Amino acid sequence: EEYTSFDKYIEGMPEGQKSIYYVTGEGRKNAMLQPVIEKLTSRGYEVLLMTEPLDEITIEAIRDYKDFRIVDATKEGLDLEDDAETKKEKEELTEKYRDICEYLEVELKGLVQKVTVSTLLTDSPA
């Protein structure tokens, strides 16, 4: 396991990245199972893994570091500063599969909270 600082994270950020991204989980293995990690790493972004019990409480108290927002990558509505074309593509996919999502929400009621179209996975099968 390798520990890092916010300053070291910022030094390694690709040009154009505006936020510091993190995920929480019980141990490194569980944290790495988050689908959003695949999307962020495909863009060249590093993701901080918060795996200690107090990490989540501590990190939620810190909203910004220097000129960068600190963002929980697993929260719904993650904004990756996509360009207009990518945002349009997401909207088209959401509309195209709206009926399927609604059907699955009804059929899986009690088993899932919400069904949505996602572009988080880039290489893995859904």
Side-chain angles (χ1 to χ4, degrees):
E1 292 186 23
E2 182 180 330
Y3 294 96
T4 191
S5 66
F6 284 137
D7 288 326
K8 188 174 178 184
Y9 178 96
I10 291 168
E11 286 175 21
M13 286 172 56
E15 191 174 320
Q17 182 178 340
K18 298 176 180 149
S19 301
I20 297 170
Y21 298 102
Y22 74 92
V23 298
T24 58
E26 293 182 25
R28 179 180 174 84
K29 185 177 178 181
N30 285 338
M32 289 298 293
L33 293 175
Q34 299 290 338
V36 72
I37 290 178
E38 190 172 319
K39 181 70 166 185
L40 292 168
T41 56
S42 74
R43 292 175 173 229
Y45 298 175
E46 287 187 44
V47 181
L48 295 174
L49 304 177
M50 304 291 181
T51 58
E52 299 296 326
L54 289 177
D55 284 348
E56 189 168 2
I57 296 167
T58 304
I59 199 69
E60 286 180 0
I62 305 169
R63 289 280 143 234
D64 299 293
Y65 182 77
K66 296 189 176 176
D67 294 330
F68 300 95
R69 291 181 315 128
I70 299 175
V71 177
D72 182 348
T74 62
K75 296 292 183 193
E76 186 175 343
L78 176 65
D79 181 13
L80 295 175
E81 298 100 26
D82 290 326
D83 58 24
E85 183 178 320
T86 305
K87 286 181 181 181
K88 183 179 179 189
E89 182 180 317
K90 283 182 190 177
E91 289 170 6
E92 288 172 355
L93 285 171
T94 299
E95 183 58 33
K96 179 178 180 180
Y97 294 106
R98 182 176 46 85
D99 292 339
I100 293 171
C101 290
E102 289 173 2
Y103 171 79
L104 289 173
E105 279 186 355
V106 170
E107 290 297 312
L108 300 174
K109 188 173 185 165
L111 298 173
V112 298
Q113 292 178 350
K114 187 175 184 180
V115 177
T116 62
V117 174
S118 175
T119 58
L120 293 179
L121 298 177
T122 57
D123 295 324
S124 300

